[in-house]
Structures are given as structure tokens and as C-alpha cells.
């Protein structure tokens, strides 16, 4: 299997190692410009936030959707790509 890289999340004045809950899982994602895009799904959590990212296979693995959820309040921010990226 593929090993996950050792990544560090920089949060204010601390650094937290990222431990993936899910990594490089084939998935489909809906964005504001197209539905059912092929993606790779990643998920991890820190003490403060849960992070979910979908990287779009057909667009050089550019992030198509990002969801951030605060652990204490449950409040979320969802970022969804509005148009296809141009490189």
C-alpha cells in the first residue's frame, strides 16, 4: 500500500502532526460548476478542527471542495470551486 506523508499543520503558535483518517480514497464530489467529478478524498482532525478535502483527478488534483468543521461548536465552512481551474 501507499504510505501517507508526514505532514504538519501550522495553527497559530503550535504545530500539530496530521494523522489521516482517510487518504487518497477514490470518490465523487459535487462542485458549483459540475457534479460527479472524480476525486481523491482526504480527511484528518486536529484538536480544534476536522478537515475534509477532495482533489479533482481531471484537474491535476486541484482542490475542488474543502470542508472545515470546528470540533467545539460544530460550525462549518465549505469551500467549493465555482469554475474549472485554468492553468
Amino acid at each position: 500500500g501507499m504510505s501517507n506523508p508526514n505532514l504538519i499543520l501550522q495553527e497559530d503558535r503550535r504545530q500539530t502532526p496530521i494523522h489521516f483518517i482517510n487518504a487518497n480514497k477514490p470518490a465523487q464530489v459535487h462542485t458549483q460548476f459540475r457534479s460527479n467529478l472524480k476525486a481523491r478524498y482526504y480527511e484528518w482532525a486536529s484538536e480544534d478542527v476536522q478537515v475534509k478535502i477532495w482533489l479533482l483527478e481531471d484537474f491535476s488534483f486541484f482542490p475542488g471542495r474543502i470542508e472545515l468543521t470546528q470540533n467545539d461548536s460544530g460550525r462549518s465552512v465549505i469551500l467549493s470551486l465555482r469554475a474549472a481551474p485554468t492553468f
Side-chain angles (χ1 to χ4, degrees):
M2 234 171 110
S3 65
N4 296 321
N6 293 325
L7 299 176
I8 303 292
L9 179 65
Q10 181 69 45
E11 298 177 280
D12 295 326
R13 294 186 175 153
R14 69 175 179 217
Q15 293 182 337
T16 306
I18 292 174
H19 301 288
F20 288 100
I21 299 166
N22 288 294
N24 204 34
K25 292 184 98 172
Q28 289 190 335
V29 66
H30 304 290
T31 65
Q32 292 182 17
F33 75 95
R34 193 179 307 160
S35 296
N36 299 319
L37 287 164
K38 289 191 297 183
R40 293 293 170 153
Y41 174 69
Y42 291 80
E43 179 182 357
W44 70 88
S46 71
E47 291 178 24
D48 300 324
V49 68
Q50 180 181 19
V51 180
K52 298 177 183 180
I53 298 178
W54 290 262
L55 304 178
L56 304 177
E57 291 184 14
D58 293 336
F59 296 98
S60 300
F61 297 95
F62 195 83
R65 184 177 177 97
I66 300 171
E67 294 181 13
L68 306 167
T69 304
Q70 286 293 124
N71 291 335
D72 58 355
S73 67
R75 292 175 56 171
S76 295
V77 172
I78 298 172
L79 306 171
S80 178
L81 203 58
R82 185 178 297 195
T86 55
F87 302 103

